[in-house]
Amino acid sequence: MLLQIPNVLSAAQVAECREALEAAEWGDGKATAGYLSQRVKDNVQLPEGHPLARRLGGLILDALDRNQLFISAALPLKVVPPLFNRYAGGQSYGGHIDGAVRPVFGTPHRVRTDLSATLFLSMPEDYDGGELVIESGFGSQRIKLAAGDMVLYPGTSVHRVEPVTRGVRLAAFFWIQSMVRDEAKRDILFQLDTALQQIGRDVGDHPSLVQIAGAYHNMLRLWSDT
């Protein structure tokens, strides 16, 4: 599943993030890359555990807790606290796959990366290049979203960031361990939940909705790992 989630952050929240990040002390992005990824990664990041990363990451996590589309699609069990990166002056990140398991900085905890997420913080007209290119069974998907919008995609995907040839690309990125590990099962549940919500809006109170909702929750109960 590759899903765009609009308006995760409001315009005011995006402005708050951008203002803080413009004055940030950035470090080499290779610090969080694996052995192979280090050879193709050229960007800067806020260091893991940086107070600003924790503050802005908390703002994003609070917004996601209220975002029904994200919850329905990801069925999140654990979320790695968001990291922040910056691309400019031709910087890019070549094709790679995210590591299967990510440590949570400063804790003994680890998170299986079922899903990857990129939350755009720069408006697309403010920079050239910088598309997130995700390889899927339907070919290459080129993603460049409005500030405050997020893309959610399988952690198993090969993806890259194209060179930024003008301006600055700011983004947050993080990973999610889902309650439902299997992507196909998670997609079935998302489709069913989406249909349930739409029928509820269109039809209102109907006895069949209880049965369908029961089927959804029994499938979730059967497939989930908490």
Side-chain angles (χ1 to χ4, degrees):
M1 178 196 303
L2 192 157
L3 180 68
Q4 178 181 341
I5 303 179
N7 303 313
V8 171
L9 296 183
S10 68
Q13 289 172 320
V14 169
E16 177 184 348
C17 291
R18 287 174 58 97
E19 182 179 0
L21 292 172
E22 289 294 345
E25 299 176 0
W26 298 91
D28 191 342
K30 289 183 172 64
T32 58
Y35 170 73
L36 293 176
S37 296
Q38 286 184 359
R39 295 186 291 181
V40 296
K41 187 174 186 180
D42 178 21
N43 67 6
V44 292
Q45 292 178 194
L46 277 188
E48 287 190 275
H50 191 286
L52 179 58
R54 290 200 299 267
R55 178 168 72 83
L56 299 183
L59 183 151
I60 292 170
L61 292 177
D62 287 345
L64 290 174
D65 281 343
R66 300 187 298 270
N67 191 295
Q68 187 56 48
L69 182 56
F70 168 75
I71 293 170
S72 178
L75 296 170
L77 176 63
K78 302 176 184 177
V79 181
V80 176
L83 298 171
F84 297 84
N85 58 23
R86 182 183 189 274
Y87 292 81
Q91 290 178 313
S92 64
Y93 195 169
H96 65 284
I97 295 178
D98 294 332
V101 177
R102 292 286 305 188
V104 178
F105 182 83
T107 79
H109 304 300
R110 284 169 169 74
V111 175
R112 188 182 65 236
T113 58
D114 298 322
L115 293 157
S116 299
T118 296
L119 174 59
F120 289 77
L121 296 172
S122 297
M123 291 302 293
E125 61 268 23
D126 290 343
Y127 61 100
D128 292 337
E131 294 87 355
L132 173 64
V133 182
I134 302 168
E135 303 294 341
S136 73
F138 300 100
S140 297
Q141 309 294 312
R142 301 178 70 86
I143 312 295
K144 189 173 183 178
L145 303 180
D149 291 1
M150 185 176 86
V151 62
L152 189 67
Y153 58 99
T156 54
S157 302
V158 176
H159 55 284
R160 66 183 187 273
V161 176
E162 296 283 59
V164 173
T165 57
R166 179 187 65 86
V168 174
R169 177 193 190 269
L170 296 171
F173 63 101
F174 52 97
W175 300 271
I176 302 101
Q177 180 173 331
S178 177
M179 290 185 287
V180 177
R181 179 174 186 160
D182 186 88
E183 181 184 353
K185 293 175 180 177
R186 196 166 57 242
D187 190 44
I188 290 169
L189 288 167
F190 176 59
Q191 292 182 50
L192 183 54
D193 190 29
T194 300
L196 268 170
Q197 293 181 51
Q198 187 62 52
I199 293 170
R201 289 190 291 268
D202 293 345
V203 178
D205 192 15
H206 191 282
S208 295
L209 282 174
V210 176
Q211 292 179 299
I212 300 172
Y216 170 85
H217 285 287
N218 286 332
M219 292 166 70
L220 179 59
R221 186 177 292 110
L222 180 65
W223 290 343
S224 65
D225 178 20
T226 62

